[in-house]
């Protein structure tokens, strides 16, 4: 004792001078026990308990809420917790939640069918009778409609004058058939003015010609202009697997259209 000033002790310990003074005073009055004793009051209890947090995480995983005010209402109704929008936002950040654009899901989507399709896909592929000697390719296929219609934009003009500007009222649109091979990343596309059974078959032939020595399984939906397995003209190395109705979220190529 007496070798250093309070300021020197604070610099050595890496703390403020007031903190060093408080520690020295505590040591002189009560020794090591007083120095190690906790004097500050505990913080306030968290606003959400374990049950509310687990239910919140479960609801977020299911996409139950789209806006913070919906979460606020749920917390108030189900757990009697009154949080501000900022408070909910802080909890979402603490739980590692981020703002994302959801994937589209059809209103008629049957979640049970989607789950059964995913669980049974491997068995379905094994039962197609694919030649195990040939290379195997798994394709996902879908069509996308794109269009263009003219819109009016701002233009320079004299004050007080609003002249008429002609614009085109007809919509110009087309279709693109797209296929992605999930194992190699290969892609094939076919642009057409419309969709039909003939054009869908032509696109399957295009996929078939891209690697003639391989067997292919094509996964797509059951829209009316998609070929069924029994139709004539289907290449021998093409095997079709139909998605459940209204379940476009099961097709990875949907993300490409986005």
């Amino acid at each position: 004792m007496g070798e250093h000033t309070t300021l020197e002790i604070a610099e050595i310990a890496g703390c403020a001078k007031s903190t060093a003074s408080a520690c020295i005073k505590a040591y002189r009055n009560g020794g090591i026990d007083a120095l190690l004793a906790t004097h500050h009051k505990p913080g306030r209890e968290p606003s959400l308990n374990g049950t509310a947090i687990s239910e919140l995480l479960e609801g977020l995983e299911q996409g139950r809420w789209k806006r913070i005010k919906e979460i606020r209402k749920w917390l108030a109704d189900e757990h009697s917790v009154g949080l501000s929008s900022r408070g909910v936002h802080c909890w979402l950040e603490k739980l590692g939640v981020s703002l994302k654009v959801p994937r589209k899901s059809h209103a008629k989507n049957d979640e049970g069918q989607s789950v059964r399709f995913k669980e049974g896909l491997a068995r379905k592929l094994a039962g197609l009778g694919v030649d195990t000697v040939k290379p195997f390719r798994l394709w996902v296929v879908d069509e996308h409609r794109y269009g263009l219609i003219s819109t009016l934009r701002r233009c320079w003009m004299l004050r007080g004058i609003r002249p008429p500007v002609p614009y085109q009222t007809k919509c110009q649109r087309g279709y693109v058939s797209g296929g992605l091979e999930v194992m190699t990343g290969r892609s094939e596309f076919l642009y057409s003015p419309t969709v039909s059974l003939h054009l869908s078959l032509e696109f399957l032939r295009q996929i078939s010609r891209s690697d003639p020595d391989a067997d292919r399984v094509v996964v797509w939906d059951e829209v009316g202009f998609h070929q069924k397995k029994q139709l004539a003209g289907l290449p021998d190395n093409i095997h079709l697997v139909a998605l459940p109705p209204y379940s476009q979220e099961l097709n990875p190529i949907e993300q490409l259209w986005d």
Side-chain angles (χ1 to χ4, degrees), residues 209-230:
R209 292 191 298 268
S210 66
D211 189 0
D213 297 328
D215 254 352
R216 295 163 185 76
V217 171
V218 172
V219 179
W220 61 4
D221 56 39
E222 292 187 297
V223 70
F225 51 82
H226 279 173
Q227 273 69 24
K228 305 301 185 289
K229 185 186 302 184
Q230 67 272 17

Side-chain angles (χ1 to χ4, degrees), residues 14 23 36 107 118 122 184-185 197 215 220 231 245:
C23 290
L36 298 177
K118 289 186 285 187
T184 66
L197 281 167
D215 254 352
W220 61 4
L231 290 184

Side-chain angles (χ1 to χ4, degrees), residues 23-253:
C23 290
I24 293 171
K25 183 178 179 180
Y27 178 77
R28 286 174 175 172
N29 293 335
I32 295 295
D33 291 338
L35 185 63
L36 298 177
T38 301
H39 300 287
H40 61 82
K41 296 181 180 180
R44 65 179 181 178
E45 292 292 328
S47 54
L48 299 185
N49 56 29
T51 302
I53 292 175
S54 61
E55 291 180 6
L56 176 60
L57 289 172
E58 182 180 356
L60 290 168
E61 185 177 352
Q62 297 171 355
R64 181 176 174 182
W65 307 287
K66 298 179 179 64
R67 294 171 292 180
I68 282 182
K69 72 175 185 178
E70 295 173 353
I71 300 177
R72 287 184 63 196
K73 185 177 186 305
W74 171 78
L75 287 172
D77 295 344
E78 300 293 331
H79 296 278
S80 300
V81 174
L83 281 178
S84 65
S85 297
R86 177 58 184 166
V88 174
H89 191 272
C90 289
W91 269 104
L92 294 179
E93 287 185 339
K94 187 183 299 185
L95 295 174
V97 179
S98 59
L99 192 63
K100 297 181 179 179
V101 177
R103 295 187 65 185
K104 293 180 180 179
S105 178
H106 199 282
K108 296 183 180 180
N109 175 264
D110 185 339
E111 183 63 26
Q113 278 190 333
S114 299
V115 172
R116 290 190 293 272
F117 174 82
K118 289 186 285 187
E119 292 176 347
L121 180 58
R123 295 191 299 272
K124 184 174 292 187
L125 294 179
L128 290 176
V130 176
D131 191 342
T132 56
V133 178
K134 293 182 179 180
F136 173 78
R137 303 287 184 260
L138 179 62
W139 287 76
V140 290
V141 173
D142 193 32
E143 291 78 26
H144 176 64
R145 184 178 71 175
Y146 60 92
L148 173 66
I149 187 169
S150 60
T151 57
L152 293 178
R153 301 296 184 189
R154 297 189 180 207
C155 59
W156 292 103
M157 64 186 69
L158 294 173
R159 185 183 298 274
I161 298 177
R162 191 177 182 186
V165 177
Y167 73 101
Q168 180 173 318
T169 57
K170 293 189 297 183
C171 180
Q172 179 183 353
R173 64 166 57 98
Y175 290 83
V176 54
S177 300
L180 297 178
E181 204 284 295
V182 299
M183 290 180 283
T184 66
R186 186 188 182 99
S187 61
E188 292 285 338
F189 298 95
L190 174 65
Y191 291 86
S192 59
T194 184
V195 289
S196 65
L197 281 167
H198 170 73
L199 289 171
S200 295
L201 180 58
E202 182 57 37
F203 186 54
L204 292 177
R205 290 170 177 167
Q206 177 179 327
I207 292 176
S208 176
R209 292 191 298 268
S210 66
D211 189 0
D213 297 328
D215 254 352
R216 295 163 185 76
V217 171
V218 172
V219 179
W220 61 4
D221 56 39
E222 292 187 297
V223 70
F225 51 82
H226 279 173
Q227 273 69 24
K228 305 301 185 289
K229 185 186 302 184
Q230 67 272 17
L231 290 184
L234 187 69
D236 294 335
N237 61 351
I238 295 286
H239 307 269
L240 302 178
V241 173
L243 290 166
Y246 309 111
S247 57
Q248 65 268 27
E249 71 278 358
L250 294 179
N251 196 337
I253 200 173

